Amino acid sequence: MSSFQGFSISEKEKEGHSQEDNGHVDTKEEIGDYIAHHLKDAHDFHLFSYTSDSGERKHVGFSLPVIIWSSKGLVSFMSSEFHHDDAGHTIVDKKGLKFTKIHSKIYELDANATAVSFDEEHHATNAHKVLDFSITKSVFGILIAGLLMFLGFFSLAKGYKKGAIPTGIGRVLEPLVIYVRDEIARPNIGEKKYKKFMPYLLTVFFFIWILNLIGLTPLGFNVTGQIAITVCLALFTLVIYMTNGSKDFWAHTLWMPGVPYILRPVLAFLELVGFILIKPFSLLVRLFANITAGHSVVMGIAALMILLKAQFGTAGATGISFFLTLFLMVIEVLVAFLQAFIFTMLSALFIGMAVEEHDHTHDH
Amino acid sequence: MDIFNDFSIGLFAMQAFILIVLIFLLGKFAWKPILNAIEGREEGIKDALEAAENAKKEMQNLQADNDRLLKEARAEREAMLKEAREIKDKMISDSKEQAQVEGDKIIKQAQAAIEGEKKAALADIKNQVGSLSVEIAEKVIKEQLSDKDKQLKLVEGLLGDIKLN
Amino acid sequence: MYNLIGAGLIVIGGGIGLGQIGGKAMEGIARQPEAAGKIQTAMIIIGALLEGLAFGALLLGK
């Protein structure tokens, strides 16, 4: 419900209207912009903004380090140096290079340019993007999730030294670990080989689930809705099932027995495309799209509070949007678990397909 | 495609790095001990269940043994009682028989003694009767034989008696 | 405009597919309630595959 707070108190500073109306979000377009902005990664951790009595914009949050690989090597500074500007107006001078940020992307300006200009295909003409290893909001979210996992599971692991039955938070975590093992890994990979993949499956399951849940808090994270994150997760699964493929798997993929020789290369091509492109693509797109869609819909429904104000009055519009958002949030909590489950489940399924060994007693 | 315009190589690299670190560290210090502990506990539970099952079976066996022993003991007691009763009966009947025999013997002896006494008494009476008759006969004969005719008559009467005999 | 029509078509197709999956799964569960767990898992997997397809198409059209 990050949007909820954001909308009700005030609004992120957006170029074009922030100066004139103190950054309030009132129209459909502004709401669309606001949602689009939320869905993107950000270089500072921003909770909400408000306008003080003296008419000054105040931002609540903190800045995060920017680490970029520019034409002169590694450059780092705090994101506060951009002064919450996301439209390329503030230019930061470091190592004699000029950097500016447009829509969460950092550009390195050419020597004599003062502002980024774009051609018709939206390519910068006098600047180029830099490799951005900043601790962005998403990276910050990943670190928080990692920290939570460390704390929770280290304490669970330590608990076993004292006794066979976990105490405290371990009581909640242990059934989840057993769930992943018994419902996801064992049936899909097989009794013999599942152990090898447990670390990956468990890590990915809890990683996605925690990040999905963090995304539902008012902190405004949208980590699993970042395409880079889901691409990375899908690539890990791809690499794991490709490198662990059994002899049978490769034999069946590349030279399918039991079909006419002419068809075999065609089948091999289709199988390879399926395993290398389609399966990881469906994995990454599913997670990305579910989380993105969930965030947009929740924020859009929350924005009804503003859009319906004219028809139903403040209280009516707030009530409608509150109950609809509440309903959607309940669904989103379910989706948060379901997507983590599906990702892990399908990863296990693909790994199971790759490591499976057929008994050759029957003729193919 | 539009979505891949937002793809940030930096974020991807950070994520990949952090994920590898996470998998490695959690795998080594969390998942491995956790899974081992869970597995160990499951084994323990399985063993304990098996042991309980075995103990139950043993208990059943013991119970059966006890039952058998009890039954045997009861049968033995029964047999002993029966034997004792038999012995008692036998003893009673034996002593009865003995008493009978003894009694019979005593009675027989008594009868024999009585018989002997009776015989002796009878013989005594016979003797006395004999001597008395002889005396009477002597006296009678003395009286009778004083007369010659009477003697002859008597002799003739005696002789007639002998013929009649 | 056209991509909105396309999106609508995708949603119609996906909805029909999901309805089929869900309906058949329900029938299966009603017929064999003891296999509910297995059927549910299979249903979710197939649903997820369909979802991936539909989302892929939606993003291609975006």
Side-chain angles (χ1 to χ4, degrees):
Chain A
M1 284 220 233
S2 56
S3 52
F4 213 81
Q5 228 173 0
F7 278 119
S8 56
I9 294 167
S10 184
E11 179 23 28
K12 222 166 229 189
E13 195 169 3
K14 289 291 289 175
E15 193 48 39
H17 49 80
S18 62
Q19 256 68 43
E20 298 94 75
D21 54 8
N22 280 331
H24 284 289
V25 174
D26 299 320
T27 65
K28 242 181 179 173
E29 286 71 34
E30 284 169 355
I31 289 165
D33 280 350
Y34 183 76
I35 295 174
H37 184 82
H38 160 80
L39 293 177
K40 278 187 178 156
D41 204 358
H43 282 82
D44 43 11
F45 190 86
H46 177 257
L47 282 169
F48 59 89
S49 309
Y50 63 96
T51 308
S52 66
D53 293 339
S54 56
E56 200 186 339
R57 283 301 283 171
K58 298 268 190 194
H59 301 282
V60 176
F62 50 88
S63 59
L64 294 163
V66 174
I67 305 157
I68 44 181
W69 185 260
S70 67
S71 53
K72 280 188 184 169
L74 213 58
V75 178
S76 74
F77 51 91
M78 291 306 282
S79 67
S80 52
E81 296 197 32
F82 283 121
H83 299 295
H84 300 279
D85 169 51
D86 199 30
H89 293 285
T90 312
I91 287 167
V92 179
D93 256 311
K94 288 280 162 189
K95 279 193 184 178
L97 295 168
K98 286 182 273 184
F99 300 103
T100 191
K101 185 159 71 90
I102 303 172
H103 291 307
S104 300
K105 291 231 162 7
I106 295 177
Y107 291 84
E108 181 190 328
L109 275 87
D110 292 347
N112 46 6
T114 50
V116 184
S117 54
F118 291 100
D119 62 12
E120 274 137 37
E121 282 158 359
H122 207 78
H123 290 301
T125 48
N126 56 355
H128 61 270
K129 285 181 195 168
V130 288
L131 268 179
D132 184 358
F133 298 109
S134 311
I135 307 297
T136 59
K137 203 172 176 179
S138 292
V139 176
F140 188 65
I142 295 169
L143 290 173
I144 287 177
L147 195 70
L148 286 176
M149 284 167 81
F150 275 135
L151 289 176
F153 292 108
F154 280 10
S155 83
L156 176 60
K158 218 179 269 168
Y160 286 115
K161 280 177 193 156
K162 284 182 222 145
I165 290 157
T167 50
I169 189 81
R171 283 201 190 166
V172 184
L173 297 177
E174 194 206 72
L176 293 167
V177 174
I178 295 177
Y179 179 80
V180 172
R181 188 193 64 174
D182 288 352
E183 301 297 321
I184 297 177
R186 264 188 182 161
N188 288 310
I189 301 177
E191 199 64 44
K192 279 184 211 156
K193 295 183 172 171
Y194 79 94
K195 273 187 189 152
K196 190 178 165 191
F197 304 102
M198 282 309 288
Y200 173 68
L201 295 175
L202 282 166
T203 310
V204 161
F205 176 79
F206 287 106
F207 184 80
I208 297 176
W209 195 17
I210 289 172
L211 283 174
N212 283 350
L213 287 177
I214 287 177
L216 297 177
T217 62
L219 300 175
F221 284 113
N222 179 29
V223 184
T224 36
Q226 298 300 325
I227 195 77
I229 304 287
T230 62
V231 165
C232 177
L233 288 167
L235 266 182
F236 267 68
T237 299
L238 170 73
V239 168
I240 284 174
Y241 69 67
M242 276 304 183
T243 50
N244 284 290
S246 66
K247 223 192 222 171
D248 281 339
F249 167 71
W250 289 112
H252 280 246
T253 307
L254 299 176
W255 206 239
M256 179 67 91
V259 292
Y261 287 101
I262 305 167
L263 284 178
R264 286 186 188 189
V266 181
L267 270 178
F269 175 73
L270 289 178
E271 288 270 339
L272 277 181
V273 168
F275 268 103
I276 294 172
L277 279 180
I278 295 174
K279 284 186 169 89
F281 185 76
S282 81
L283 271 182
L284 74 93
V285 158
R286 177 179 309 107
L287 183 57
F288 165 78
N290 263 295
I291 302 305
T292 306
H295 279 239
S296 334
V297 173
V298 169
M299 291 182 80
I301 295 292
L304 282 181
M305 190 165 51
I306 295 155
L307 296 176
L308 296 180
K309 218 191 270 176
Q311 287 95 321
F312 297 99
T314 311
T318 309
I320 291 171
S321 110
F322 177 76
F323 282 106
L324 285 175
T325 315
L326 190 67
F327 171 68
L328 270 169
M329 283 302 283
V330 172
I331 294 179
E332 282 303 306
V333 171
L334 178 70
V335 167
F337 172 78
L338 199 64
Q339 289 311 313
F341 170 75
I342 287 285
F343 192 97
T344 321
M345 181 74 146
L346 287 177
S347 294
L349 195 71
F350 298 155
I351 292 170
M353 280 177 181
V355 299
E356 191 185 15
E357 267 162 23
H358 305 273
D359 46 342
H360 281 274
T361 48
H362 61 284
D363 201 35
H364 287 285
Chain B
M1 261 179 296
D2 206 27
I3 54 165
F4 287 104
N5 288 343
D6 284 337
F7 184 84
S8 154
I9 296 167
L11 181 58
F12 174 83
M14 292 299 281
Q15 150 78 351
F17 173 69
I18 294 170
L19 194 59
I20 287 174
V21 170
L22 264 181
I23 293 172
F24 177 75
L25 282 182
L26 282 171
K28 189 147 190 203
F29 297 112
W31 305 134
K32 212 172 156 195
I34 289 171
L35 289 172
N36 283 344
I38 291 173
E39 215 156 278
R41 199 180 56 197
E42 276 168 359
E43 286 289 312
I45 290 171
K46 220 174 98 191
D47 288 351
L49 279 177
E50 251 165 41
E53 192 69 25
N54 284 345
K56 206 170 140 196
K57 251 182 216 161
E58 223 156 279
M59 274 288 285
Q60 271 171 352
N61 283 346
L62 229 69
Q63 190 81 34
D65 267 10
N66 277 351
D67 280 355
R68 199 170 47 79
L69 278 175
L70 209 66
K71 215 180 260 174
E72 270 175 20
R74 204 171 288 148
E76 211 166 320
R77 194 191 64 179
E78 207 83 343
M80 275 164 85
L81 277 175
K82 208 175 152 195
E83 209 175 331
R85 208 175 292 131
E86 267 168 17
I87 288 169
K88 185 191 81 179
D89 287 353
K90 202 167 162 249
M91 268 168 83
I92 288 171
S93 66
D94 273 8
S95 47
K96 255 185 191 166
E97 216 165 276
Q98 216 169 345
Q100 188 86 33
V101 168
E102 205 76 8
D104 280 357
K105 217 167 145 191
I106 290 166
I107 288 167
K108 246 181 212 160
Q109 272 174 355
Q111 272 173 347
I114 290 166
E115 198 75 19
E117 289 296 316
K118 205 171 110 189
K119 271 183 185 160
L122 274 176
D124 203 24
I125 289 167
K126 263 180 196 168
N127 284 342
Q128 278 181 17
V129 170
S131 58
L132 268 174
S133 2
V134 170
E135 269 174 43
I136 294 165
E138 253 177 18
K139 278 171 187 167
V140 169
I141 289 165
K142 268 176 189 167
E143 203 115 340
Q144 292 279 346
L145 289 178
S146 52
D147 186 358
K148 217 158 171 186
D149 287 342
K150 271 188 187 177
Q151 277 181 350
L152 282 170
K153 250 188 194 172
L154 183 68
V155 171
E156 264 172 42
L158 281 174
L159 283 171
D161 274 356
I162 290 167
K163 268 181 192 163
L164 280 169
N165 274 349
Chain C
M1 185 64 207
Y2 289 119
N3 51 17
L4 281 180
I5 295 170
L9 288 173
I10 293 163
V11 171
I12 290 172
I16 293 170
L18 267 180
Q20 288 267 337
I21 295 165
K24 296 285 177 195
M26 293 288 165
E27 276 175 26
I29 291 171
R31 202 168 295 159
Q32 274 178 298
E34 68 275 6
K38 278 184 179 175
I39 294 174
Q40 244 163 21
T41 313
M43 178 184 83
I44 290 174
I45 291 175
I46 297 169
L49 291 173
L50 174 71
E51 192 188 46
L53 199 76
F55 272 133
L58 277 176
L59 288 174
L60 280 171
K62 196 182 156 191

